[in-house]
Amino acid sequence: MAVWPPLTAAGSKMVVVVCAMVLTLAILIFHSDEFKLIQSSNFTYQLRNNGFGDSHGFQSPPKIAFLFLTRKKLPLDFLWANFFKNGDQAKFSIYIHSKPGFVYDKSTTRSSFFYDRQLNNSIQVLWGDSSMIEAERLLFGAALDDPANQRFVILSDSCIPLHNFNHTYNYLMSSTKSFVDSFLNVDEGRYNPKMLPVISQEKWRKGSQWITLVRKHAEIVVNDAIIFPLFKKHCERWPPSEDATGRKKPEKYHPNCIPDEHYVQTLLSIRGLENELERRTLTYSMWNSSIPKVDKRSWHPVTFHYPDATPLRIKEIKEINHIDYESEHRTEWCRVNSKYTSCYLFARKFTPGAGLRILKNDLSENLVDGKHG
């Protein structure tokens, strides 16, 4: 049996110092939210179907995943069908989050492009609730199963494409950045201090939920196990929902957070990835600035009906080349890899009537230009 020589006074002090350092490190590792946050960013998304976390090595062309958030049906399926039929089917995929149990087949959609494209694990979604971002995460997760999907576009059931497929594909694939509308928001009282210390107010961001992500950022959203639970717990809707009798539930006041306008923006801000973003959305919305913010009508963009969807109006939207951000006193001139370009590829909110007018005009222009068919 080995006998160790007695420690000198200096040696004893050194042992104490080392033990203290090890204990401090252990405490930091097991209790620091920041360490967990950094650690979680090193995870890679494990594809459920084939087990490969590597996004390279696929043989097909890189694809755009079109991710639709719908209530039930896709009212503008006829317009999107015209968009997809003029594209290369090897360059896109379609995923739909709809009401649980709702199936896209010939009885529910006019286009075979959408047959069986619904998620089988969809959830019930409430506006202004964390279920909205949970549905987005489910869409990203499903699309990440295909290694060829390299761009991920979130769209609503009232969105329209503004350009043809080839223009849209080239626009997105020529950029190495995600398109995430993201800006400082300190005046609306949506930030909840209970999110500290993980989410500080200086990292809090606001923006449109209609985002386009590169694969790396989609993986970060799906793998996030730190920020999403905090949003689910502390980022809630106000006013509260009504009970079965129509009366508002007696809940304590909290900030009106609207999670889908903050989650991805804040997550990427915390991860220090804002330099990898074009900080703007690719989806145009028209807001009525004359309506006071306390009026519920100001919570949603203006709806385009048949009379509003004139060729001139659509042309004006397509030619917008900059966005003003009043809270940051900046103007975002739209670029793709340093090349100035128009800002928008999509627009909302359009009714089926407006969609029919746009389709009629598109078909007419194609026939005149000899491009139809």
Side-chain angles (χ1 to χ4, degrees):
M1 180 176 178
V3 178
W4 297 98
L7 289 173
T8 64
S12 298
K13 289 181 180 179
M14 180 62 70
V15 170
V16 171
V17 170
V18 170
C19 290
M21 291 175 64
V22 171
L23 179 61
T24 301
L25 181 61
I27 292 172
L28 287 172
I29 289 175
F30 286 101
H31 297 286
S32 170
D33 282 321
E34 291 184 3
F35 181 87
K36 293 177 183 177
L37 186 61
I38 294 170
Q39 187 184 52
S40 69
S41 68
N42 294 325
F43 294 164
T44 55
Y45 181 83
Q46 298 299 312
L47 301 179
R48 289 191 296 271
N49 290 343
N50 55 29
F52 295 102
D54 180 355
S55 64
H56 306 290
F58 54 89
Q59 299 302 311
S60 61
K63 295 196 290 188
I64 299 172
F66 291 87
L67 313 177
F68 290 93
L69 277 170
T70 71
R71 296 171 180 83
K72 289 178 68 176
K73 294 183 179 181
L74 191 59
L76 295 166
D77 55 0
F78 59 91
L79 191 59
W80 283 101
N82 185 65
F83 172 80
F84 289 126
K85 81 174 184 180
N86 291 309
D88 183 345
Q89 293 191 38
K91 293 182 176 180
F92 69 86
S93 51
I94 300 169
Y95 303 84
I96 305 172
H97 185 284
S98 189
K99 181 180 178 180
F102 189 85
V103 176
Y104 277 78
D105 56 27
K106 62 181 180 181
S107 69
T108 56
T109 178
R110 289 160 282 197
S111 172
S112 59
F113 280 115
F114 305 106
Y115 288 178
D116 298 318
R117 300 315 305 158
Q118 75 281 347
L119 302 189
N120 293 324
N121 60 340
S122 64
I123 61 170
Q124 188 64 48
V125 173
L126 298 175
W127 182 85
D129 185 76
S130 61
S131 57
M132 183 75 78
I133 55 177
E134 190 169 355
E136 291 179 9
R137 283 160 52 93
L138 288 172
L139 283 167
F140 285 127
L144 283 166
D145 279 345
D146 184 347
N149 287 329
Q150 296 295 307
R151 302 293 184 272
F152 303 77
V153 184
I154 293 285
L155 298 160
S156 78
D157 55 8
S158 67
C159 280
I160 64 163
L162 290 170
H163 302 273
N164 63 35
F165 179 85
N166 288 336
H167 176 90
T168 302
Y169 184 87
N170 292 334
Y171 191 113
L172 292 178
M173 290 301 174
S174 64
S175 176
T176 59
K177 295 186 175 184
S178 292
F179 293 85
V180 180
D181 187 40
S182 176
F183 53 92
L184 297 172
N185 177 237
V186 296
D187 298 328
E188 294 188 355
R190 294 187 180 184
Y191 174 74
N192 191 335
K194 292 181 179 180
M195 294 179 171
L196 284 170
V198 178
I199 304 176
S200 64
Q201 191 160 5
E202 69 174 0
K203 294 294 186 179
W204 182 253
R205 297 289 184 270
K206 180 184 177 183
S208 168
Q209 77 175 107
W210 312 112
I211 58 178
T212 297
L213 300 185
V214 297
R215 188 176 180 93
K216 170 187 172 181
H217 296 156
E219 290 172 344
I220 287 172
V221 170
V222 170
N223 287 321
D224 169 38
I226 303 296
I227 306 304
F228 177 67
L230 285 175
F231 264 75
K232 196 169 184 178
K233 183 176 181 180
H234 298 300
C235 188
E236 302 172 290
R237 174 185 175 182
W238 184 268
S241 56
E242 298 177 346
D243 61 21
T245 65
R247 294 176 299 183
K248 289 182 180 179
K249 295 178 181 178
E251 297 180 14
K252 184 179 179 181
Y253 176 79
H254 54 73
N256 189 10
C257 183
I258 315 298
D260 50 88
E261 293 183 2
H262 295 274
Y263 170 62
V264 173
Q265 290 82 354
T266 300
L267 172 63
L268 297 179
S269 169
I270 290 172
R271 295 290 175 86
L273 297 172
E274 289 186 303
N275 63 330
E276 298 180 11
L277 309 178
E278 294 288 354
R279 291 175 63 188
R280 59 186 176 88
T281 180
L282 294 174
T283 301
Y284 173 81
S285 299
M286 183 172 73
W287 299 88
N288 191 337
S289 58
S290 65
I291 299 177
K293 289 185 178 181
V294 294
D295 191 322
K296 287 186 178 182
R297 291 176 298 169
S298 71
W299 298 357
H300 304 281
V302 173
T303 298
F304 288 82
H305 298 276
Y306 183 92
D308 308 309
T310 64
L312 177 60
R313 187 72 187 98
I314 301 302
K315 181 175 181 291
E316 290 173 347
I317 295 172
K318 291 165 69 172
E319 292 179 350
I320 294 172
N321 62 4
H322 68 279
I323 305 169
D324 294 319
Y325 291 92
E326 295 180 5
S327 66
E328 295 183 336
H329 307 289
R330 69 179 170 96
T331 296
E332 187 80 13
W333 292 92
C334 299
R335 296 177 297 178
V336 173
N337 283 352
S338 301
K339 181 181 179 181
Y340 289 97
T341 184
S342 57
C343 295
Y344 299 111
L345 295 178
F346 315 102
R348 60 188 297 266
K349 302 174 63 168
F350 284 76
T351 64
L356 282 170
R357 184 170 188 177
I358 293 168
L359 179 60
K360 181 180 178 182
N361 182 65
D362 285 349
L363 292 176
S364 173
E365 285 187 351
N366 288 341
L367 286 170
V368 170
D369 295 340
K371 301 174 186 176
H372 185 58

